[in-house]
Amino acid sequence: MKTPKNHKGISYIELVIVVLILCIVAAAAMPMLSSTDPTKLDNAANEVVGTIRFAQAESIRTKTSYGINTDTTNERIRVYRLSGTTPTYDVYHPIDKKLYDIQMKTDTYVSGVDLVSTSFDFSGASTSSTYLDFSAEGSPKVTSAGVDYMLTSGTITLSFRSLQRVISIAPITGRVTMQ
């Protein structure tokens, strides 16, 4: 049986070139797809929400003020226990048994997420604070010079690439929500 002379197909080289072009296009598209993936940001926001709730729960459980300190310069959130009026950073994470200290730059599960801003405003206090304590009843406050000032508004903003999450702490109840 003879093959027609005008029968044309694709050669192996042509097939390799087409596959190579498709791989290059796919590789170029991958960063654009992952830049809108909110998973890492959501994980970090859930970690911060859990940290705030932990401090509040420990205050209620122990009848001692616990709180969080947010440091946007070093992108760090730490849990502390109030000894009198001085924060003591000797609180351990209940699961990994390490000091409760979230470092946004180096902790694997939150690295790349930025701690953009924090704003805790208190009634009667002259300025906002980076400290947020909880009373023995779980109400959000700050203690300054032995005086408690109750929270009037509280937010923490996180960002990852072009996405943001705002964590809000409600006055009086200390309810924590994420937007």
Side-chain angles (χ1 to χ4, degrees):
M1 189 164 133
K2 291 185 173 182
T3 334
K5 291 185 180 185
N6 61 357
H7 183 316
K8 293 185 178 182
I10 57 170
S11 71
Y12 178 72
I13 302 238
E14 291 170 325
L15 182 63
V16 168
I17 290 172
V18 168
V19 170
L20 184 63
I21 290 171
L22 289 174
C23 287
I24 291 170
V25 169
M30 287 305 283
M32 288 188 287
L33 292 175
S34 65
S35 68
T36 58
D37 181 18
T39 304
K40 189 160 203 147
L41 179 60
D42 289 340
N43 289 344
N46 285 328
E47 182 68 23
V48 172
V49 166
T51 301
I52 298 166
R53 289 178 179 160
F54 173 80
Q56 184 181 32
E58 283 298 288
S59 295
I60 295 168
R61 184 182 72 81
T62 64
K63 302 296 183 206
T64 303
S65 287
Y66 279 73
I68 63 164
N69 171 247
T70 58
D71 180 354
T72 55
T73 304
N74 295 312
E75 298 197 35
R76 182 179 196 187
I77 300 173
R78 299 187 293 170
V79 177
Y80 60 84
R81 176 179 52 84
L82 271 182
S83 300
T85 59
T86 306
T88 304
Y89 296 96
D90 62 354
V91 180
Y92 290 88
H93 193 283
I95 295 173
D96 66 14
K97 307 300 182 204
K98 296 179 182 174
L99 284 176
Y100 216 134
D101 185 358
I102 302 171
Q103 297 187 25
M104 307 299 260
K105 292 180 182 178
T106 59
D107 289 352
T108 307
Y109 55 94
V110 294
S111 66
V113 176
D114 294 319
L115 177 59
V116 177
S117 66
T118 59
S119 176
F120 302 131
D121 295 313
F122 301 92
S123 63
S126 59
T127 60
S128 72
S129 173
T130 60
Y131 291 89
L132 177 65
D133 312 334
F134 290 96
S135 68
E137 295 78 28
S139 296
K141 65 176 185 71
V142 71
T143 302
S144 178
V147 178
D148 287 345
Y149 298 97
M150 300 310 291
L151 182 75
T152 56
S153 69
T155 60
I156 298 172
T157 304
L158 304 175
S159 74
F160 180 65
R161 298 186 179 150
S162 62
L163 303 171
Q164 279 195 339
R165 293 289 179 271
V166 177
I167 299 163
S168 300
I169 300 95
I172 302 171
T173 63
R175 181 171 182 242
V176 184
T177 55
M178 178 176 53
Q179 302 159 352

